[in-house]
Amino acid sequence: MKNPMISPKMASYGSSLRGVILCCWMLAGLTFPYHTALAADHPMTVSIGSHPSNKKVCIGGTATFSVTATGSGTLIYQWQLSTNGGSTWSTLTNGSTYSGVATATLTVTGATASFNNYYYRCGVTDNTAITVNSNPGVLTVGPLGQLLNASSSICSAGSGGLTSADINAGYTYQWQVSADNGGSWNNIADNTTYTGSATAALNIGGDPSLNGYLYRTIVTDGTSGCSVTSVGVDTLHIVNNPSVLQPTPTSAFICPGANATIAITDSTGVSYQWRASTDGGSTWSNISDNSLYTGTSTYSLNINAPSTTASYDVVRSVTGYSLTCSTPSLAVALTFKTLPNIVTSPVNSTVCANSNASFRVSATGSTLAYQWQSDNGTGGATWTNITPGGTSVTLSRASVTTLMEGYKYRVIVTGCGSPLTSGAAILHVNSSGTWLGTTDTAWEHSGNWCGGVPTSVTDVLVPATAPRMPLISAGTVTAYAHSLTIQKFATLSISGGTTSMTAPFNIAGTVIYMANGNQNILPADHGSLQIDNAGNKLMQSNVAITDTLTLKGSAMLVTGSNTLSMKAGSYPIRGASFSGSQTSWVVTGNGGSGAGNTGTGGLQIAQIASSSGAVLFPVGPTPASYNPLQLTNGGATNDFTVAANDQYIPGAPAGAVIDRTWLVSAASAGTSNISLGLLWRLSDEPGTFNRANSSIVRSNGTAIVEESTSGAAAGGNPYTFSKGSFSTLTQFSVATSTMVVLANPLMSFSGQWIDNTSSGLQWSADPNVQVRSYIIQWSADGNRFTDLGTVGGEIGKTSYSFLDSRPGQHNFYRLELVGSNGNITFSRVIELSDAILVNQADLAPSITGQGITSLRLTLGKGSDIAYMVTDISGHVILRNAVHLVKGSHSLPVDISRMPGGVFFVRVTDGKGFNKVLTLVKK
């Protein structure tokens, strides 16, 4: 404690009180203050000349502390001890440890480690009874030979340390070890097991063989030379870490949505903690059981349908000597397999017999397995696994035979999820004579063929699957074959050389005749036929085309006396036009001019229907003259054949027609009703030809028997004219209408309006020519005629007439004359137009047992027509209204639900037209 203060009042009590206070202070170990009132009365005379100095001794050594002082009278000395750094003090007495406690020199004998840092001071008192304390001297005892550890436990996979309690910069250290429980000791030097063997802290590696070893240290004070061996002995305990194990599987490679289990095989006494890392093992986090994980503290971790990749390990721990040692296992990476996907299915393979074939699939995905299958020629009905050799991405078939032609092959790819089945590839096994096209297009190169270049006994096949199509050229010289098959979509081009091929021919594909000179057309039907470049392409026989005819360049397809047939669906003909710019066409003759050379062959186009529109026949009589024909069929579907020659049509007056004749025929005679469009040039016309009054005429081979309506030709060299309604087909040409004389017994044919509602026709005939009947025909456009009625012919009668009670606004009439021998001729066409029509109505039929009748109307102008059907009681059964334009109309009236009886049909237009018609339903 601090020295207390003495107040002035206390000082006034005199010497007796001072003596008491001094005594008490000294007993308390206190120093009397120099500046108190007591000192004022009795000035202090004690003065400390030298204070005790700090001392350092070895354990068991002797230390002395001395003080010098001056004062009044005899000085009294008393040494004191503080074990807490000077906070409190106790008075020493002489004994085995201390001597000289009441002298100026204190001797400390046999200092122990516990004396380290003890404070010693001396209180000096003179005859004034005032004590003055010296400054303390500090006793350092050392080295102490103490250790901080009584024992140490470390993991075998780690390290630990022992530390001396004597830490002083002037000390040196030497650690020792005893492997026989202290029986003998050996100095330790730094090595792979120990480090710091000459320092205050010894580091020991976790070597399991060190378990139970004892350790101590010898500490030496370099200044004092004191040396001490630690009195405490450290015992080392090694706790063996669990070994580093590899969980199974070593990597978890799973399908998306699948579960994974990672386990480790271990002995008992081990605890587990599974961890996860999402950064490749840089950082790890403990995991616990939840919806994703179970078994996180067991030897087996279950991962339920994970959705992300991660790495997993397990920390295994053992505990001994109050120490837990842990070892993480090797990591297991969890990744996901890629679902299988067939990128490219196997493709068809075409090989020659007795060679090898292969098929390949391209697939992506993880850990894929393959199983090839074959249908063995069953058309895909049954499939059989191929073993051996059918479990890789490529399937090889050795020495295939023609018996394997058409076999199908596929592969089942297995990975995650359901197995995938590829598309089927077809094996084509070609016999000798099959075109391969693997080298180039040259017919004469043996590498392009199975079995080498064909000979005259080779059956040749050109398949559609070949990568290159064959070309017969001048370099081929002669292309031989016994039979020739060209598959659909395959092509044979002939630019030169010759062909020597017998039969049979099966040309479903295309043949291109492309030489710059004359060529023979193969004597066979063609899928498609194309002519190109120049020269005449000469038909040797009738040829039918099922797909396409193409005309190119300035080449001519010359029929000779043969027919080129275009089957249904093969038209229009490519490269053809109804114009003067055409440079390639079908020559319906032998290529020469004149009667014996032109018009001898023909071009047939099949199945021309009323919906086909104008169908073009690109024909000409010679390679120098293009005279195409357009045919529009208004009747039954039919096959039509056209030829052109460079002759005048038989029976025409001189100078009345052009010198071009078109021969037209139909497979089913008399069932069609056609109109024609014809093209010619100025050089085809006689000098007297009048293009402004043209008509199309028909000859029966000896006389002109039919004529279309007349009109002006179109165009300007070439010219075109389109007219007619012909049901009988023979020879046709273009004539000057006013110069035509029809070969029939008619002497006159005319017509006139009788009133606004009817027209009358009159004709006179030669009484010497017997006509069985006259069929009156009507047309609204002069092209398509329908029968109106029939007037019987009578022997000796010359004048005839016919009344049309329902003419239209525009009316064309002609007579079809049926002779006694069945021959048919036609009158010229007359026209009656622009009549002022009056509204008319009738029923056709008006008496019927059927479910429908027709309301026929003729209107002078557009009107809103209303009609209703009532029974005899006036009940309305049916009503309707419709807007109709000017002209003739036929409206169907449904009476299928009406009972039998008599009904009335009232027709009105709201503007005065009102007519009641009687209908009888049987």
Side-chain angles (χ1 to χ4, degrees):
M1 59 179 293
K2 294 182 178 180
N3 293 329
M5 297 289 294
I6 301 298
S7 70
K9 184 176 180 179
M10 294 175 64
S12 67
Y13 286 104
S15 60
S16 59
L17 179 61
R18 290 197 298 270
V20 173
I21 294 173
L22 177 61
C23 180
C24 293
W25 281 353
M26 292 180 67
L27 291 175
L30 302 176
T31 302
F32 197 90
Y34 296 117
H35 57 276
T36 61
L38 292 175
D41 292 339
H42 300 277
M44 291 185 191
T45 60
V46 176
S47 174
I48 304 298
S50 62
H51 295 274
S53 62
N54 295 338
K55 294 299 179 70
K56 184 175 183 181
V57 297
C58 300
I59 291 177
T62 299
T64 59
F65 295 92
S66 297
V67 65
T68 61
T70 60
S72 299
T74 301
L75 299 179
I76 300 171
Y77 298 89
Q78 180 60 55
W79 288 90
Q80 294 180 316
L81 167 67
S82 175
T83 61
N84 56 11
S87 295
T88 60
W89 294 88
S90 61
T91 300
L92 296 176
T93 60
N94 290 325
S96 61
T97 301
Y98 298 106
S99 60
V101 297
T103 68
T105 299
L106 172 68
T107 300
V108 182
T109 303
T112 66
S114 62
F115 286 21
N116 187 48
N117 287 326
Y118 277 11
Y119 281 28
Y120 296 92
R121 74 179 181 185
C122 184
V124 182
T125 308
D126 65 2
N127 59 8
T128 63
I130 295 176
T131 300
V132 176
N133 291 327
S134 69
N135 294 336
V138 180
L139 176 62
T140 301
V141 180
L144 301 177
Q146 295 178 342
L147 297 177
L148 295 181
N149 311 75
S151 65
S152 179
S153 298
I154 62 175
C155 297
S156 62
S159 62
L162 302 175
T163 305
S164 172
D166 295 311
I167 306 299
N168 191 294
Y171 291 175
T172 61
Y173 305 87
Q174 176 59 59
W175 286 90
Q176 293 183 324
V177 61
S178 174
D180 54 4
N181 200 28
S184 60
W185 294 88
N186 297 298
N187 288 345
I188 297 173
D190 284 4
N191 53 33
T192 57
T193 301
Y194 301 106
T195 58
S197 60
T199 68
L202 174 66
N203 187 67
I204 307 171
D207 184 349
S209 66
L210 303 180
N211 186 50
Y213 280 18
L214 304 181
Y215 293 85
R216 70 186 184 185
T217 182
I218 300 172
V219 183
T220 302
D221 186 341
T223 302
S224 66
C226 295
S227 180
V228 65
T229 299
S230 59
V231 295
V233 176
D234 282 329
T235 301
L236 178 65
H237 298 294
I238 304 295
V239 179
N240 288 326
N241 284 76
S243 59
V244 178
L245 298 180
Q246 172 65 65
T248 56
T250 56
S251 63
F253 195 33
I254 66 173
C255 295
N259 299 333
T261 297
I262 305 173
I264 197 162
T265 302
D266 208 349
S267 59
T268 59
V270 179
S271 64
Y272 304 88
Q273 175 60 60
W274 287 90
R275 304 187 303 177
S277 173
T278 57
D279 57 8
S282 296
T283 59
W284 293 89
S285 300
N286 290 343
I287 57 177
S288 57
D289 285 7
N290 52 30
S291 60
L292 178 60
Y293 303 111
T294 57
T296 55
S297 59
T298 70
Y299 72 93
S300 179
L301 173 67
N302 298 310
I303 310 172
N304 305 310
S307 60
T308 58
T309 60
S311 295
Y312 295 90
D313 71 359
V314 60
V315 176
R316 296 156 48 249
S317 302
V318 296
T319 301
Y321 305 104
S322 301
L323 175 66
T324 298
C325 295
S326 302
T327 303
S329 70
L330 298 177
V332 174
L334 185 144
T335 56
F336 295 99
K337 295 180 180 180
T338 304
L339 292 174
N341 176 51
I342 295 179
V343 179
T344 306
S345 287
V347 298
N348 297 344
S349 178
T350 301
V351 297
C352 297
N354 300 314
S355 63
N356 299 332
S358 64
F359 299 92
R360 182 177 177 84
V361 67
S362 175
T364 58
S366 303
T367 59
L368 299 181
Y370 304 88
Q371 179 58 65
W372 286 88
Q373 296 179 321
S374 173
D375 75 338
N376 295 322
T378 63
T382 59
W383 293 89
T384 304
N385 288 346
I386 297 174
T387 56
T391 57
S392 64
V393 294
T394 300
L395 172 69
S396 297
R397 300 278 83 189
S399 301
V400 298
T401 68
T402 54
L403 295 177
M404 299 170 70
E405 165 63 28
Y407 275 26
K408 294 181 179 180
Y409 295 88
R410 71 183 186 185
V411 62
I412 297 175
V413 180
T414 304
C416 287
S418 300
L420 301 180
T421 302
S422 72
I426 302 175
L427 173 63
H428 295 289
V429 183
N430 294 326
S431 58
S432 178
T434 300
W435 170 263
L436 300 177
T438 53
T439 302
D440 51 30
T441 61
W443 179 286
E444 64 273 16
H445 290 172
S446 61
N448 287 321
W449 296 94
C450 282
V453 179
T455 67
S456 60
V457 296
T458 303
D459 293 322
V460 170
L461 169 67
V462 181
T465 55
R468 302 176 186 86
M469 293 298 159
L471 170 67
I472 299 173
S473 65
T476 309
V477 184
T478 302
Y480 293 96
H482 173 242
S483 66
L484 174 64
T485 298
I486 302 176
Q487 291 182 348
K488 190 175 180 65
F489 306 117
T491 300
L492 171 63
S493 299
I494 307 175
S495 65
T498 60
T499 59
S500 178
M501 303 177 183
T502 53
F505 293 95
N506 181 10
I507 305 176
T510 302
V511 181
I512 302 175
Y513 301 90
M514 52 187 297
N516 282 313
N518 293 347
Q519 289 180 272
N520 289 333
I521 302 295
L522 293 174
D525 294 342
H526 290 55
S528 294
L529 188 153
Q530 177 178 318
I531 61 173
D532 199 355
N533 292 325
N536 293 335
K537 315 306 177 185
L538 307 170
M539 289 172 51
Q540 309 300 302
S541 65
N542 293 334
V543 173
I545 297 175
T546 56
D547 291 325
T548 304
L549 172 62
T550 303
L551 307 175
K552 297 181 71 174
S554 60
M556 301 294 161
L557 183 53
V558 179
T559 65
S561 59
N562 305 298
T563 299
L564 176 65
S565 301
M566 304 293 296
K567 296 300 182 182
S570 63
Y571 57 86
I573 296 170
R574 295 181 182 177
S577 65
F578 192 64
S579 68
S581 61
Q582 189 70 22
T583 59
S584 177
W585 56 84
V586 178
V587 176
T588 55
N590 60 19
S593 61
N597 299 313
T598 62
T600 57
L603 170 62
Q604 182 186 78
I605 299 180
Q607 298 298 290
I608 298 178
S610 58
S611 60
S612 301
V615 176
L616 174 63
F617 289 75
V619 297
T622 68
S625 181
Y626 180 54
N627 298 106
L629 176 146
Q630 277 187 332
L631 184 149
T632 303
N633 180 20
T637 300
N638 217 330
D639 302 343
F640 295 92
T641 303
V642 173
N645 66 34
D646 56 0
Q647 305 298 301
Y648 291 107
I649 191 170
V657 294
I658 63 174
D659 66 351
R660 293 292 182 269
T661 298
W662 289 265
L663 293 81
V664 183
S665 62
S668 298
T671 62
S672 302
N673 188 348
I674 68 170
S675 62
L676 300 176
L678 306 176
L679 180 146
W680 71 96
R681 296 183 179 276
L682 179 65
S683 59
D684 303 330
E685 297 177 352
T688 56
F689 187 76
N690 183 4
R691 231 175 288 114
N693 193 20
S694 300
S695 64
I696 296 178
V697 295
R698 181 178 69 83
S699 171
N700 62 7
T702 58
I704 304 299
V705 295
E706 191 172 359
E707 182 185 12
S708 71
T709 56
S710 61
N717 197 22
Y719 305 98
T720 61
F721 187 73
S722 300
K723 284 288 186 180
S725 178
F726 302 100
S727 57
T728 301
L729 307 181
T730 52
Q731 303 180 49
F732 297 87
S733 188
V734 183
T736 300
S737 179
T738 55
M739 300 177 65
V740 174
V741 178
L742 297 179
N744 59 49
L746 287 179
M747 300 175 65
S748 66
F749 178 46
S750 63
Q752 65 279 328
W753 292 102
I754 297 176
D755 53 32
N756 288 332
T757 63
S758 60
S759 61
L761 305 176
Q762 301 86 29
W763 64 93
S764 60
D766 184 346
N768 298 315
V769 179
Q770 183 177 355
V771 176
R772 183 186 303 169
S773 60
Y774 300 90
I775 300 174
I776 298 87
Q777 297 181 328
W778 174 88
S779 171
D781 58 6
N783 291 322
R784 295 175 176 81
F785 284 85
T786 59
D787 295 346
L788 286 181
T790 301
V791 175
E794 300 178 26
I795 298 176
K797 185 176 180 178
T798 60
S799 297
Y800 297 87
S801 64
F802 180 82
L803 178 65
D804 182 8
S805 61
R806 297 185 63 257
Q809 184 176 6
H810 300 288
N811 305 275
F812 296 86
Y813 298 96
R814 72 179 182 184
L815 299 176
E816 180 180 327
L817 288 71
V818 182
S820 58
N821 57 1
N823 289 337
I824 295 176
T825 58
F826 290 87
S827 71
R828 69 174 60 253
V829 178
I830 62 174
E831 180 181 4
L832 293 178
S833 299
D834 300 325
I836 301 175
L837 300 180
V838 176
N839 292 349
Q840 301 179 63
D842 64 2
L843 292 172
S846 59
I847 301 174
T848 181
Q850 303 298 317
I852 194 167
T853 187
S854 295
L855 175 60
R856 300 194 303 178
L857 297 167
T858 300
L859 303 179
K861 59 182 178 180
S863 302
D864 292 321
I865 298 297
Y867 63 90
M868 66 178 179
V869 179
T870 62
D871 59 17
I872 58 176
S873 300
H875 294 107
V876 176
I877 298 174
L878 173 69
R879 73 170 73 234
N880 200 2
V882 63
H883 180 79
L884 300 174
V885 299
K886 177 181 178 181
S888 298
H889 306 276
S890 179
L891 303 180
V893 181
D894 184 3
I895 59 175
S896 60
R897 299 183 180 181
M898 294 169 50
V902 177
F903 302 89
F904 302 102
V905 181
R906 179 181 296 277
V907 184
T908 60
D909 69 353
K911 297 180 181 179
F913 177 62
N914 189 339
K915 189 166 185 178
V916 177
L917 306 173
T918 301
L919 171 65
V920 178
K921 173 78 178 292
K922 294 181 180 180

